[in-house]
Amino acid sequence: MRPLPLLLLLPSFAALAQPVAALQPMAFLAGHCWKGEFSGGKQTDEHCFQWLYGGQMLRDVHTVRSPGKPDYVGETTYYHDPAANKVAFLYLENSGGHSRGTMQPVDGGLDFPATDYVGAKGKTLTYRVRWTPSGDAYEAASEMLLDGRWVPQFKLLLKKQ
């Protein structure tokens, strides 16, 4: 028996999983990494997506890299919440912050309605995001709630790697 060659094939099987119906709008992301540069060109953000448990969930591991600084790393798990009949997510990151929210497919993209990010020290930031796919890329546009109004936080074009 030679188990090692079989283990090397596992990542490709994970990319080919059939997702549950609720996660189908996110299927274009699975099995790929997507990378974008923040304005100024000094920071990058890379998201790598893979199916979990035969398509029951989708994992997104993302890393923000900045010269001379430790990487900012986070992981999001998307899943169908049958009680709410929505796609929900849990986000955890390496500095101790977290977020819970939902995703809604909309014409032309994916909406992540307003939710709270809670930092390690308890400070809360309310934010919302829209992902708009376009060929081998998608645009991520994030807004934050500041003094009762929505203001741009960032806009990033992530390209398939």
Side-chain angles (χ1 to χ4, degrees), residues 6-89:
L6 291 176
L7 289 175
L8 295 174
L9 294 175
L10 287 178
S12 62
F13 288 136
L16 299 175
Q18 284 297 316
V20 295
L23 293 175
Q24 188 61 45
M26 301 180 88
F28 74 96
L29 299 161
H32 306 286
C33 291
W34 306 76
K35 189 173 185 178
E37 246 181 43
F38 287 98
S39 62
K42 293 188 179 186
Q43 281 187 319
T44 61
D45 191 3
E46 182 175 40
H47 290 252
C48 295
F49 294 86
Q50 73 178 60
W51 293 118
L52 298 175
Y53 311 114
Q56 296 295 311
M57 298 174 186
L58 181 65
R59 173 187 289 151
D60 168 12
V61 176
H62 90 101
T63 305
V64 175
R65 292 181 177 87
S66 302
K69 294 183 179 179
D71 290 348
Y72 171 91
V73 181
E75 183 170 320
T76 307
T77 302
Y78 299 94
Y79 59 95
H80 178 244
D81 177 351
N85 197 28
K86 291 184 178 183
V87 172
F89 69 82

Side-chain angles (χ1 to χ4, degrees), residues 67 135 138:
Y138 71 93

